[in-house]
Amino acid sequence: MIVCAWILLFGPVALSAQYDIFWTTESKAAYSLIMDLRIEESMSIIRLQTITHPENLIWPYLEDYAMFLKIFVREDLKKVPEFLEASTERIERIGIAGESNPFTLMMQSQIHLHQCALRLQLNQYAAASGEVNKAFKMLKKNQKLHPYKVEKLR
């Protein structure tokens, strides 16, 4: 009974949400903090914006970038398996935006490269080469789908 009430009340809102990937003032600020290796500060912005603007799928990408750098720079190899699992979920989440958005494949491919770098640190060479191959195929597909969106092709 409670489930039916929830679906009636919130179902239309959840179904009508339009997911997209786009840069905002907050996402640019978080990205800048990530580039400065101010990871905890960037994650504060990312967590807040993920809650307040879940329709913008740039947040899983920025979260992946921040967590990748945190693990990679510190060489905290114990956290790699957990990161890889969460990273795969972020790839799927970003995919919700669809390939009509030129950021989708570009960001997914970059996450595969994050996974590759960490797999190399673990001496998982075959798995790392698989990640590079996935990233390359996504970027080639993005070039075919969006030939005039040069800034999003990487």
Side-chain angles (χ1 to χ4, degrees), residues 8-118:
L8 288 173
L9 290 174
F10 299 108
V13 174
L15 293 174
S16 67
Q18 293 293 319
Y19 294 100
D20 200 1
I21 301 171
F22 52 92
W23 289 95
T24 63
T25 303
E26 293 83 4
S27 62
K28 290 176 185 177
Y31 182 80
S32 180
L33 290 168
I34 292 167
M35 293 298 99
D36 291 340
L37 296 177
R38 294 166 56 189
I39 304 300
E40 295 310 318
E41 291 174 72
S42 71
M43 286 304 297
S44 294
I45 295 171
I46 292 166
R47 286 184 195 108
L48 176 63
Q49 294 300 313
T50 298
I51 293 167
T52 57
H53 300 287
E55 73 284 355
N56 188 355
L57 297 176
I58 199 161
W59 304 115
Y61 167 73
L62 292 175
E63 179 182 9
D64 198 85
Y65 211 151
M67 299 316 298
F68 161 71
L69 286 175
K70 182 177 181 179
I71 293 168
F72 189 78
V73 169
R74 292 182 183 172
E75 296 185 9
D76 192 356
L77 301 181
K78 293 177 188 171
K79 294 193 177 185
V80 172
E82 180 183 332
F83 170 83
L84 292 173
E85 187 176 324
S87 186
T88 299
E89 291 172 9
R90 289 189 282 265
I91 289 171
E92 292 173 10
R93 180 100 173 109
I94 291 168
I96 294 171
E99 294 176 0
S100 61
N101 185 320
F103 281 127
T104 301
L105 290 169
M106 186 276 293
M107 290 180 177
Q108 288 177 318
S109 68
Q110 194 160 0
I111 292 173
H112 280 294
L113 294 176
H114 297 165
Q115 292 179 358
C116 170
L118 293 176

